[in-house]
């Protein structure tokens, strides 16, 4: 504690009835005013308003308050607001604490008496913690002005161009031989029917020629080190075996190459050679050798391409390279893949060549519409929507909408009618979703042109000689449909690119329950990831059309420019530190640190504040209590636990919720008005790995009957590590007479608040049967804690 005696001011928000309708705020104020150290306790309709903030600054100046507690909504909403408020009054912003009595109290309970009692506990815990708060100062460091963009689809291209035009150096890294992504495969775009290549190719060429953009193709990210503003990224570049400075893309090498393989760009409807350029407008405009099929690499023979290359550009001696890029910010634009419809047997995909995906149909449009089986023009074509999308059985498909399927099918039906005048397109749909600009009009145009729409789920597609038998329901006419078609086009589900998960792990950012990259805030920070300095854009975040992708890419570029344009970044002081007088350099903290932020030095063990992410996992590991965490110190956490657990009028369950994702998920339960037992008391921690045996004993000694750990799926404390942590804690608790059934844990993503609600109820039911921890056990634990504290003084 600082030398100044803590003078705590507590400000309780009514939140326009959101809190005061369920929590008796006047009773809460009265109970709070009696707590040790509290000099001022007031309520106000909206503490976040200007008059509410003026009330806080006035209290600091007139009453000499040196600690502030705000009991209101989630700190995720207004923590920064109130930090600025106390700072403007001359008080260090780290002398502020917030306690959540809205999302995690008033919004999840209906019983006013129980909600008020819980709010009193939460505020008591915050006041106890506030008495031990210490002043902290953020440091700043320069931000590198270079930006790495991962993924060369339309999102990556637009983001790169926007940043490059603002003067930033951009490294555009793409796994394929060319940038362009899936948009390069499209014939036309809806709803305007613009030529896709006519829109995209000029942007590709501009990016390729821009002095501030360096395209690194056939490359992938293998490691990310450092932190926001100063990332060190290792990039692995696969060899093309063609010298880009010499290749003129004349194509002579491909003409002579004897090997033919399915063409990925053409969705395997045609073939390419083992030395190839993905498509005519490719950027970089350089050929590459497919080592999996080239005879020289598979059998050690041939080299005919080298012999006939007029520019002598073929170079079989090229080697794989690893380059290091130092950048200030990273943008992930890894795009999407389509669900393989082979997993859905009812559609018979792969059993007949005339059952194709909508992306394959795009390529057929450019090749001249024909049936892959015999080259004839199809007359009657069935477009089947929601193939693998919006499924309850997510073992074979996904729950989310592909978002573009309806409009893509309508576009293709209209284009089919233009290409084959007497064609008869049928669209089998679940619901037509036409929510974009001009989409409803586009839908109406298709209806006016005679495109037939059948509402209902598809039953099956059965090969029937040269025809394809389609069976479906027609819910509008209340009958079953059955008919033969020449061609069946499947609008398949859109899923994240297969590299997204591994890239997210390397970047230290989470994915959502739908497996797409997760934004910081769905509405307010939709292109920021959960990690500062890492941004996300395009279909890596969710399915979307070209227009929305372009808008998002421009927004991303603006956010990146804001981040790096400041020139410096503030380094949080909420990091671990070594208490050198206690440290014996055993190295246990070094071994457990997940980001290698703790290291040995000539003077002992030290913590690198730039690398430290403030998870606190190292703190309970130290046998000598020689390491602590700023703003989540042992004194602060122990005091908060004691404050929350006192007053044993219920079977209290302490839920330690670790990190932004898990805490935000618990908030979502409140925002959706999910209800759970008022016995639950949430204490937010950087990570549940920060909570050790000592803290659990403190909880049980002072009144807790059970403990829950909730950690975010994106945490650096993996599910495996969490499980090991909990198993070890259960063993230790047994030595103190605490049953292992009183401790339970889960991991969750942000949207999976139901998991949190369910585990709250599960443990509450269990504790109601087990009853409270005996007074005798509590007393013994208190004695042992007191003895331990003496030994560590």
């Amino acid at each position: 504690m600082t030398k100044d005696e803590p003078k705590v001011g507590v400000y309780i928000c009514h939140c326009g009835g959101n809190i005061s309708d369920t929590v008796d705020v006047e009773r809460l104020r009265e109970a709070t005013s009696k707590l040790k150290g509290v000099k001022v306790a007031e309520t106000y309709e909206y503490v976040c308003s200007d008059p509410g903030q003026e009330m806080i600054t006035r209290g600091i100046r007139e009453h000499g308050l040196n600690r502030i507690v705000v009991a209101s909504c989630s700190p995720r909403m207004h923590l920064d607001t109130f930090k600025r408020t106390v700072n403007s009054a001359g008080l260090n912003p780290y002398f502020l604490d917030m306690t959540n009595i809205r999302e995690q109290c008033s919004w999840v309970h209906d019983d006013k008496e129980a909600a008020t009692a819980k709010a009193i506990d939460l505020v008591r815990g915050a006041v106890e913690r506030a008495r031990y708060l210490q002043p902290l100062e953020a440091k700043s460091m320069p931000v590198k002005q270079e930006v790495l963009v991962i993924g060369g689809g339309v999102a990556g291209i637009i983001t790169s161009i926007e940043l490059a035009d603002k003067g930033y150096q951009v490294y555009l890294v793409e796994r394929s031989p060319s940038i362009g992504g899936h948009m390069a495969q499209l014939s036309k775009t809806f709803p305007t029917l613009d030529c896709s290549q006519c829109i995209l190719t000029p942007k590709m060429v501009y990016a390729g020629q821009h002095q501030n953009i360096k395209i690194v193709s056939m490359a992938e990210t293998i490691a990310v080190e450092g932190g926001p503003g100063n990332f060190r990224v290792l990039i692995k570049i696969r060899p093309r075996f063609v010298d880009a400075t010499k290749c003129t893309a004349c194509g002579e090498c491909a003409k002579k190459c004897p090997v033919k393989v399915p063409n990925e760009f053409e969705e395997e409807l045609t073939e390419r050679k083992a030395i190839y350029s993905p498509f005519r407008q490719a950027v970089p405009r350089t050929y590459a050798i497919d080592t999996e099929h080239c005879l020289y690499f598979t059998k050690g023979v041939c080299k005919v391409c080298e012999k006939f290359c007029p520019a002598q550009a073929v170079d079989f001696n090229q080697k794989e390279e690893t380059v290091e890029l130092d950048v200030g910010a990273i943008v992930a634009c890894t795009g999407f893949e389509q669900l393989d419809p082979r997993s859905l047997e009812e559609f018979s995909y792969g059993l007949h060549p005339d059952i194709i995906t909508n992306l394959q149909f795009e390529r057929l449009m450019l090749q001249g519409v024909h049936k892959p089986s015999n080259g004839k023009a199809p007359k009657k074509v069935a477009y089947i929507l929601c193939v693998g999308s919006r499924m309850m059985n997510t073992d074979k498909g996904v729950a989310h909408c592909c978002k573009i399927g309806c409009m893509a099918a309508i576009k293709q039906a209209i284009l089919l009618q233009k290409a084959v005048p007497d064609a008869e397109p049928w669209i089998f749909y679940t619901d037509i979703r036409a929510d974009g600009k001009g989409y409803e009009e586009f839908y109406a145009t298709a209806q006016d042109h005679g495109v037939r729409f059948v509402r209902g789920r598809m039953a099956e597609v059965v090969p029937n000689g040269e025809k394809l038998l389609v069976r479906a329901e027609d819910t509008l006419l209340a009958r079953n449909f059955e008919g033969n078609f020449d061609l069946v086009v499947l609008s398949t589900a859109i899923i994240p690119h297969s590299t997204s998960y591994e890239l997210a792990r390397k970047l230290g950012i989470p994915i959502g329950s739908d497996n797409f990259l997760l934004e910081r805030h769905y509405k307010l920070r939709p292109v920021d990831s959960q990690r500062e300095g890492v941004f996300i854009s395009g279909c890596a975040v969710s399915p979307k059309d070209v227009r929305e992708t372009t808008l998002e890419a421009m927004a991303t570029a603006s956010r990146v420019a804001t981040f790096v344009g400041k020139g410096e970044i503030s380094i949080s002081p909420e990091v671990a530190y070594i208490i050198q007088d206690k440290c014996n350099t055993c190295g246990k903290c070094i071994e457990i640190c997940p980001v290698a932020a703790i290291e040995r030095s000539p003077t002992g063990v030290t913590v690198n504040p730039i690398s430290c992410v403030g998870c606190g996992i190292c703190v309970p590991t130290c046998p000598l209590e020689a390491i602590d965490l700023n703003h989540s110190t042992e004194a602060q956490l122990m005091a908060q636990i004691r404050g929350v657990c006192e007053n044993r009028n219920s079977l209290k369950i302490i839920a330690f919720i670790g990190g932004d994702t898990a805490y935000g998920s618990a908030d979502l339960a409140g925002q959706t008005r999910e209800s759970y037992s008022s016995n639950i008391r949430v204490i937010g921690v950087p990570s549940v790995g920060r909570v050790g045996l000592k803290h659990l004993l403190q909880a049980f000694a002072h009144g807790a009957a059970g403990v829950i750990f909730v950690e975010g799926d994106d945490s650096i404390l993996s599910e495996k590590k969490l499980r090991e942590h909990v198993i070890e804690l259960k063993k230790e608790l047994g030595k103190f007479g605490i049953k292992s059934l009183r401790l339970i844990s889960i991991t969750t993503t942000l949207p999976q608040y139901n998991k949190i609600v369910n585990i709250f109820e599960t443990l509450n039911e269990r504790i109601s049967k087990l009853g409270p921890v005996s007074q005798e056990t509590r007393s013994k634990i208190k004695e042992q804690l007191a003895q331990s504290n003496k030994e560590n003084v």
Side-chain angles (χ1 to χ4, degrees):
M1 212 179 299
T2 57
K3 293 179 181 179
D4 294 335
E5 183 66 24
K7 297 178 182 178
V8 185
V10 180
Y11 296 88
I12 302 162
C13 187
H14 295 222
C15 197
N18 282 297
I19 293 172
S20 57
D21 285 352
T22 310
V23 173
D24 185 338
V25 293
E26 182 54 35
R27 183 176 151 202
L28 174 59
R29 186 202 64 77
E30 185 179 350
T32 300
S33 67
K34 299 174 183 178
L35 296 176
K36 181 180 179 181
V38 173
K39 300 301 179 184
V40 173
E42 298 190 54
T43 71
Y44 194 71
E45 190 70 18
Y46 293 101
V47 178
C48 62
S49 66
D50 284 345
Q53 292 180 58
E54 289 170 7
M55 180 187 295
I56 295 173
T57 57
R58 188 167 59 251
I60 293 171
R61 289 167 180 157
E62 294 179 1
H63 299 282
L65 302 179
N66 55 19
R67 305 288 190 282
I68 299 296
V69 171
V70 177
S72 60
C73 58
S74 172
R76 297 175 76 245
M77 183 69 71
H78 281 308
L79 179 60
D80 289 341
T81 299
F82 292 118
K83 276 188 173 182
R84 289 191 294 270
T85 301
V86 299
N87 192 51
S88 69
L91 192 63
N92 187 284
Y94 285 91
F95 280 138
L96 164 76
D97 197 20
M98 284 187 71
T99 188
N100 187 343
I101 61 170
R102 189 180 72 174
E103 285 84 348
Q104 295 171 11
C105 188
S106 66
W107 277 356
V108 291
H109 306 309
D110 297 320
D111 185 329
K112 192 162 189 174
E113 181 67 25
T116 302
K118 176 176 175 177
I120 290 171
D121 286 347
L122 294 175
V123 173
R124 186 193 306 112
V127 169
E128 287 296 317
R129 170 179 149 80
R131 295 176 59 241
Y132 292 88
L133 292 176
Q134 298 288 333
L136 299 172
E137 297 292 340
K139 297 179 181 179
S140 61
M141 63 179 295
V143 173
K144 296 189 184 318
Q145 299 297 289
E146 295 78 15
V147 180
L148 169 64
V149 177
I150 303 172
V154 62
I157 292 169
I158 298 297
T159 300
S160 298
I161 289 173
E162 290 291 311
L163 286 167
D165 283 349
K166 290 177 172 64
Y168 298 104
Q169 175 64 48
V170 178
Y171 299 99
L172 176 55
V173 173
E174 167 58 40
R175 290 174 56 86
S176 305
S178 171
I179 61 174
H182 285 301
M183 187 177 174
Q185 295 178 285
L186 304 182
S187 56
K188 296 182 184 295
T189 60
F190 57 77
T192 55
L193 299 183
D194 292 310
C195 164
S196 182
Q197 284 286 4
C198 299
I199 299 171
L200 182 64
T201 300
K203 295 294 185 182
M204 292 169 59
V205 173
Y206 185 59
Q209 295 176 348
H210 203 297
Q211 63 178 359
N212 290 337
I213 299 176
K214 178 175 176 55
I215 296 175
V216 188
S217 57
M218 297 186 69
E220 59 184 294
T221 304
I222 57 175
V224 179
E225 301 172 349
N230 292 271
F231 292 106
R232 295 183 300 279
V233 185
L234 292 181
I235 305 293
K236 180 177 71 176
I237 306 174
R238 303 188 308 280
R240 284 177 176 267
F241 300 105
V242 176
D243 189 334
T245 63
K246 296 179 180 179
C247 180
T248 61
C250 66
E252 287 299 316
C253 54
K255 293 177 183 177
K256 302 297 181 181
C257 178
V259 179
K260 294 182 179 180
V261 297
N263 190 331
E264 304 90 344
F265 183 80
E266 297 293 342
E267 291 297 304
E268 301 189 354
L269 293 170
T270 63
E271 295 179 322
R272 62 164 173 81
K273 298 296 185 71
I275 185 168
Y276 70 105
S277 177
F279 52 100
R280 282 179 293 179
Q281 301 89 347
V283 175
R285 194 167 173 263
T286 305
Y287 276 61
I289 292 178
D290 178 355
T291 57
E292 290 185 10
H293 298 97
C294 173
L295 292 178
Y296 175 72
F297 287 100
T298 58
K299 298 181 179 180
V301 297
C302 194
K303 284 192 173 182
V304 68
C305 55
E306 183 182 49
K307 178 180 178 181
F308 285 96
C309 177
Q312 298 183 333
V314 177
D315 181 5
F316 286 100
N317 294 318
Q318 284 187 358
K319 303 293 183 184
E320 183 179 280
E321 294 180 66
T322 300
V323 299
E324 182 178 302
L325 301 177
D326 294 319
V327 297
I330 301 173
V331 183
C333 311
T334 47
F336 72 92
E337 292 178 356
Q338 288 189 304
L339 182 77
D340 187 345
R342 289 181 182 88
S343 62
L344 303 163
E345 297 87 352
E346 63 267 33
F347 296 104
S348 300
Y349 183 78
L351 301 181
H352 195 288
D354 295 336
I355 303 173
I356 62 175
T357 67
N358 55 357
L359 198 51
Q360 286 178 312
F361 188 84
E362 292 291 329
R363 301 315 301 162
L364 284 183
M365 288 298 303
L366 293 166
Q367 297 166 14
V369 182
H370 63 274
K371 295 172 63 177
S373 62
N374 57 22
K376 296 180 181 179
K379 299 297 184 181
K380 192 174 181 182
V381 179
Y383 296 91
I384 301 176
L385 307 189
C386 299
V387 176
S389 299
R390 302 176 64 189
M391 293 185 68
M392 299 300 290
N393 179 11
T394 55
D395 291 338
K396 291 188 175 182
V398 296
H400 61 262
C401 172
C402 76
K403 197 166 185 178
I404 62 170
C406 296
M407 290 300 106
I410 291 171
K411 175 196 75 173
Q412 291 176 348
I414 291 173
L415 293 177
L416 173 68
Q417 290 178 321
K418 291 183 178 181
V420 183
D422 56 346
E424 188 179 328
W426 291 62
I427 294 178
F428 296 84
Y429 69 98
T430 306
D431 298 291
I432 293 295
R433 295 187 165 179
D435 60 343
K437 184 175 182 179
Y439 288 7
E440 189 65 34
E441 295 86 342
F442 194 52
Y443 176 27
T445 298
Q447 292 174 309
D448 292 342
H449 281 69
V451 176
R452 302 192 184 191
F453 290 84
V454 179
R455 186 182 187 277
R457 278 288 189 178
M458 179 61 52
E460 60 179 344
V461 178
V462 182
N464 185 22
E466 290 189 358
K467 297 291 185 178
L468 299 165
L469 179 64
V470 172
R471 294 192 178 103
E473 63 176 341
D474 187 332
T475 60
L476 297 182
L477 297 179
R479 69 182 185 185
N480 292 328
F481 172 89
E482 187 173 299
N484 284 308
F485 290 83
D486 299 316
L487 188 69
V488 170
V489 182
L490 308 178
S491 288
T492 57
I494 284 180
I495 58 177
H497 194 277
S498 57
T499 61
S500 288
Y501 183 85
E502 183 60 22
L503 178 63
R505 187 188 65 79
K506 293 170 183 174
L507 294 175
I509 62 176
I511 60 172
S513 58
D514 56 4
N515 292 323
F516 287 93
L517 301 181
L518 189 64
E519 57 275 89
R520 177 73 65 88
H521 190 287
Y522 180 77
K523 295 182 178 69
L524 302 180
R525 299 182 72 177
V527 297
D528 292 42
S529 78
Q530 298 285 334
R531 186 180 187 188
E532 197 75 12
V534 179
F535 301 85
I536 52 181
S537 184
C539 287
V541 185
S542 64
K544 49 182 66 75
D545 63 16
V546 174
R547 174 185 168 86
E548 187 179 352
T549 298
T550 300
L551 287 169
E552 195 165 89
M554 290 178 171
T556 303
S558 178
R559 289 289 298 134
V560 173
T562 298
F563 177 76
V564 298
K566 292 182 291 187
E568 63 179 24
I569 185 174
S570 177
I571 302 172
S572 172
E574 297 176 47
V575 295
Y577 63 94
I578 305 295
I579 305 170
Q580 296 295 346
D581 292 345
K582 294 183 178 181
C583 181
N584 67 354
T585 67
C586 69
K588 288 189 176 181
C589 56
I590 298 174
E591 294 171 7
I592 201 169
C593 180
V595 291
I598 307 175
E599 51 198 25
R600 294 185 190 276
S601 71
T603 58
V605 176
T606 59
V607 177
N608 183 336
I610 297 174
S611 300
C612 180
V613 295
C615 64
I617 294 173
C618 54
V619 179
T621 305
C622 181
L624 299 177
E625 298 188 7
I627 190 167
D628 212 341
L629 180 65
N630 280 327
H631 211 54
S632 182
T633 64
E634 287 292 87
Q636 292 163 7
L637 184 54
M638 293 289 278
Q640 183 177 12
I641 294 169
R642 183 180 64 249
V644 171
C645 292
E646 286 179 356
N647 183 16
R648 305 169 200 158
N649 292 333
S650 64
L651 293 173
K652 293 181 186 177
I653 296 171
I654 305 303
F656 291 102
I657 298 189
D660 289 341
T661 296
Y663 196 91
S665 188
D667 279 352
L668 273 178
Q671 290 165 15
T672 55
R673 303 308 194 272
E674 290 284 339
S675 180
Y676 53 79
S677 171
S678 58
N679 290 336
I680 306 297
R681 307 287 193 269
V682 171
I683 294 180
V685 288
S687 163
V688 295
R690 167 70 183 87
V691 182
L693 178 64
K694 178 180 177 181
H695 309 104
L696 298 189
L697 293 176
Q698 177 83 334
F700 286 118
H702 289 275
V707 171
I708 299 172
F709 282 174
V710 184
E711 188 80 350
D713 269 1
D714 58 316
S715 170
I716 52 178
L717 181 69
S718 67
E719 189 171 1
K720 178 183 176 184
K721 292 289 187 184
L722 172 60
R723 188 163 54 249
E724 292 171 352
H725 183 50
V726 171
I727 290 171
E728 185 60 31
L729 287 173
K730 286 184 175 183
K731 289 179 183 177
E732 293 299 315
L733 286 173
K735 298 175 183 178
F736 292 86
I738 303 294
K739 292 182 179 180
S740 62
L741 291 173
R742 294 185 183 275
L743 173 61
I744 194 170
S745 68
I746 60 162
T747 60
T748 183
T749 61
L750 188 65
Q752 292 177 302
Y753 56 84
N754 282 329
K755 287 179 69 176
I756 294 180
V757 173
N758 290 339
I759 200 170
F760 283 176
E761 291 306 302
T762 296
L763 188 59
N764 187 59
E765 290 176 11
R766 184 184 297 177
I767 295 302
S768 67
K769 296 175 183 177
L770 290 173
V773 175
S774 70
Q775 184 58 47
E776 181 183 1
T777 301
R778 293 188 195 279
S779 298
K780 287 181 179 179
I781 294 174
K782 281 186 178 181
E783 290 174 7
Q784 289 169 310
L785 283 172
Q787 182 61 34
S788 176
N789 289 335
K790 288 180 181 179
E791 292 172 356
N792 284 287
V793 171

